[in-house]
Amino acid sequence: MHFDGAGHSLDTAPDGWRERQAVLAYGSNACPSKITWLREELGLQGPVVVVRARSVGLAAVWASGLRVRDGQRPTTLVAMPGVVEWHAVWFATPEQIEVLDVCEARGSRHHLSRLHTGTITLEDGTELDDVCAYVGATDVRFPLLVDGVPVRVAEVPQCEAVGLEGSPGTSHGIEITLL
């Protein structure tokens, strides 16, 4: 749990944290410094409960567009059968989701969506059946295709990703329900 600028054991997490909405965090949203940035820049409040999670059938890949804020290439999520990756799951309050909506430009660059593709399992073995994620909503947040294939974040570091050349994919390929 991230609170007061530091990480804490879930033993000290607020009551009811498991009733929060599970949101798959990949890329920078899994980074503690991003949580601090969200607090300082967008007013994120309260304890942020984050748990390490294994995803199967989903992959973090480089998006086709660059971020306006810093010129870097952000990550996006795609369906990728058989791929196993480790990410994080935020157990977010409705107020925290409102902050994430602003950060992720919900409705223009990303959609907050319930995932029906892949499986998400917490590090303790708990399989989650109601997980949401921010998925690309426009070509600049669809995957960058290099030689027709998305480029996984696990295979190319960000310092090289900014220089990749290719074309935007037309979809993330994930079965979703928009929220």
Side-chain angles (χ1 to χ4, degrees), residues 1 3 6 9 16 21 27-28 32 37 45 50 65 76 78 80 83-84 90 96 124 150 155 158 161 166 171:
M1 172 181 67
F3 190 64
S9 167
Q21 177 61 57
S28 65
W37 182 88
Q45 297 292 311
V50 182
T76 193
V78 298
M80 200 169 279
V83 169
V84 176
W90 277 49
Q96 291 170 343
D124 71 359
E155 296 172 351
Q158 187 164 28
S171 170

Side-chain angles (χ1 to χ4, degrees), residues 50-108:
V50 182
V51 179
R52 192 165 184 250
R54 178 180 182 255
S55 72
V56 177
L58 298 164
V61 300
W62 294 111
S64 64
L66 302 178
R67 281 193 302 252
V68 174
R69 181 174 45 84
D70 62 6
Q72 292 297 306
R73 190 173 303 282
T75 60
T76 193
L77 194 65
V78 298
M80 200 169 279
V83 169
V84 176
E85 292 186 345
W86 285 91
H87 297 292
V89 170
W90 277 49
F91 287 94
T93 66
E95 296 79 15
Q96 291 170 343
I97 289 174
E98 288 177 12
V99 170
L100 289 171
D101 285 349
V102 171
C103 178
E104 298 302 325
R106 181 178 178 182
S108 59

Side-chain angles (χ1 to χ4, degrees), residues 150-170:
V151 180
R152 289 182 58 209
V153 172
E155 296 172 351
V156 175
Q158 187 164 28
C159 62
E160 293 175 22
V162 71
L164 291 172
E165 293 185 18
S167 60
T170 58

